[in-house]
Amino acid sequence: MNKEEVCILIPTLNEGKTISGLVNEFKTLGYRDILVIDGHSADDTVSNAQKAGARVVVQSGTGKGQAISQAFHIITSKYVVMIDGDGTYLPEEIEKLLEPVVSGQADHVIGNRFANYQKGAFTRLNLFGNRILNKIFGFAYGIWLNDILSGYRAFNYNAIKNIELNRTGFEVETEITVECVKKDLKIVEVPITYLARVSGAVTKLRPIRDGFRIASTIYLLARTHNPLFYFNLIGGLLTIVGVIVGIYVVDEWLQNITHVPLAILATLLIVTGIMMFIFAILSDLIVAMHRENMHMMRKIMKEKEKL
Ligand SMILES: Nc1nc2c(ncn2[C@@H]2O[C@H](COP(=O)(O)OP(=O)(O)OP(=O)(O)O)[C@@H](O)[C@H]2O)c(=O)[nH]1
Ligand SMILES: [Mg+2]
């Protein structure tokens, strides 16, 4: 692999303390194409990055997601390595991430932070939240990964041109992973080291709010990939609530107390729940057929490229 073919992509928002060191380390390792996409930092991130020799683009909107999406449109390199600008990942581990994409084993590589993390790198809440979100992802997409939210990742050109990003904030890592699953891109995880933030550098992540956003993104995006999961979950919830209300109504009725409105509510909940199960089966059929068509289309495109 030629290091000129690799673009290092660093999203930053107020990372003035760490950005120069990060850019310099990549330069020392021989990578010259370094793109910093900045989210209108109020500190000296932009000037520090420029002084260190990176190309800096200030994003047109806000949020890490919008920044990555904009960067994917600009980049034309054969390989891309994305890394957070907060100095929590090790530049010297870049080869581990690049190896599977360069060898053609993967279209997208995720650096798994749980393989080796420094004390204090994760708060207890973050550790717990990450574990739960990876499990929800597994249930929704049938692919069991360890670290879907990692900020150290590698891509080939095919991946960055096929991944379509619509979420603007910290849901971006989730959306990247979901897009790879949906577009049949091969994902490989490699173990990496995860360090604690340097003192004074503040996180932009709000664990509870962003955690819920990420969970809802995993769920909402599953509609067109795994409708059985999507609709059965709603159906299951409605049916359970309906049955609980129903049990109460019957119990009261046995004691000669009649609840007409509650009885209607219980029936409606159960009927709607059953309807959701039917939607699930129908949508699954549609998705399965769509997947077959897309599979065929990709095959034809590949054949066409060969000609
Ligand atoms: N361009 C851009 N970058 C952002 C934005 N928000 C965060 N970032 C950068 O994205 C990277 C990840 O953000 P962090 O705050 O470290 O979030 P995190 O790594 O998920 O969370 P921690 O575990 O707390 O570090 C950092 O380099 C941030 O500077 C944004 O709105 N725009
Ligand atoms: Mg971070």
Side-chain angles (χ1 to χ4, degrees):
M1 177 209 51
N2 182 349
K3 288 183 180 173
E4 303 284 307
E5 294 172 330
V6 181
C7 173
I8 312 288
L9 167 61
I10 316 177
T12 55
L13 177 60
N14 301 333
E15 305 289 4
K17 279 186 192 281
T18 46
I19 192 67
S20 313
L22 197 62
V23 174
N24 282 326
E25 277 184 69
F26 278 113
K27 290 231 141 150
T28 315
L29 290 168
Y31 298 90
R32 280 195 288 175
D33 183 6
I34 302 171
L35 173 64
V36 169
I37 181 118
D38 186 69
H40 310 271
S41 292
D43 66 358
D44 48 4
T45 305
V46 170
S47 57
N48 285 356
Q50 274 164 342
K51 264 186 240 152
R55 177 159 62 115
V56 181
V57 173
V58 176
Q59 70 181 100
S60 55
T62 52
K64 186 178 176 186
Q66 192 277 331
I68 302 297
S69 163
Q70 187 176 343
F72 278 5
H73 281 105
I74 302 172
I75 295 170
T76 52
S77 315
K78 201 166 171 190
Y79 306 110
V80 179
V81 173
M82 174 180 141
I83 183 168
D84 284 354
D86 56 1
T88 48
Y89 299 94
L90 293 172
E92 62 260 36
E93 291 189 332
I94 188 174
E95 308 272 318
K96 285 197 206 173
L97 283 115
L98 278 171
E99 201 277 322
V101 275
V102 173
S103 68
Q105 191 198 341
D107 296 295
H108 176 38
V109 178
I110 302 177
N112 173 16
R113 296 170 292 173
F114 296 102
N116 178 24
Y117 58 90
Q118 202 181 45
K119 204 165 164 262
F122 286 107
T123 60
R124 231 178 249 182
L125 180 64
N126 279 356
L127 207 57
F128 176 73
N130 267 284
R131 291 258 149 89
I132 299 266
L133 291 169
N134 281 297
K135 290 274 181 294
I136 301 178
F137 184 89
F139 278 116
Y141 297 91
I143 292 186
W144 298 87
L145 295 165
N146 294 298
D147 195 7
I148 59 163
L149 303 177
S150 173
Y152 205 1
R153 319 170 80 105
F155 307 84
N156 61 18
Y157 184 74
N158 179 34
I160 61 161
K161 291 301 155 191
N162 276 295
I163 291 172
E164 289 169 60
L165 302 173
N166 296 309
R167 307 269 155 171
T168 53
F170 280 108
E171 307 95 320
V172 61
E173 288 88 1
T174 312
E175 202 176 17
I176 288 176
T177 319
V178 171
E179 278 285 293
C180 286
V181 178
K182 285 189 180 176
K183 306 268 163 77
D184 267 345
L185 298 167
K186 283 173 280 173
I187 304 177
V188 165
E189 266 186 330
V190 296
I192 54 155
T193 310
Y194 189 51
L195 307 174
R197 277 174 166 270
V198 295
S199 66
V202 277
T203 177
K204 281 97 218 169
L205 186 91
R206 292 195 238 159
I208 303 281
R209 190 196 63 168
D210 289 319
F212 274 107
R213 278 200 186 168
I214 291 164
S216 73
T217 302
I218 296 176
Y219 177 66
L220 293 173
L221 295 178
R223 188 168 57 107
T224 53
H225 183 77
N226 186 355
L228 285 178
F229 172 82
Y230 182 86
F231 287 108
N232 282 345
L233 197 73
I234 314 179
L237 283 177
L238 289 174
T239 312
I240 290 171
V241 178
V243 168
I244 293 172
V245 177
I247 290 173
Y248 172 75
V249 170
V250 172
D251 186 49
E252 293 271 288
W253 180 74
L254 290 174
Q255 295 164 40
N256 283 330
I257 309 166
T258 314
H259 294 286
V260 177
L262 273 187
I264 296 173
L265 180 69
T267 317
L268 274 179
L269 284 170
I270 294 171
V271 170
T272 317
I274 293 171
M275 255 167 59
M276 288 296 154
F277 296 141
I278 300 169
F279 279 167
I281 297 167
L282 290 178
S283 312
D284 186 53
L285 210 70
I286 297 169
V287 168
M289 286 193 299
H290 174 73
R291 199 168 293 148
E292 257 174 51
N293 286 340
M294 288 307 288
H295 191 72
M296 187 79 79
M297 199 119 90
R298 279 195 203 104
K299 220 161 126 186
I300 296 171
M301 295 291 268
K302 263 194 197 142
E303 295 291 325
K304 212 175 117 197
E305 270 167 28
K306 271 189 216 154
L307 291 177

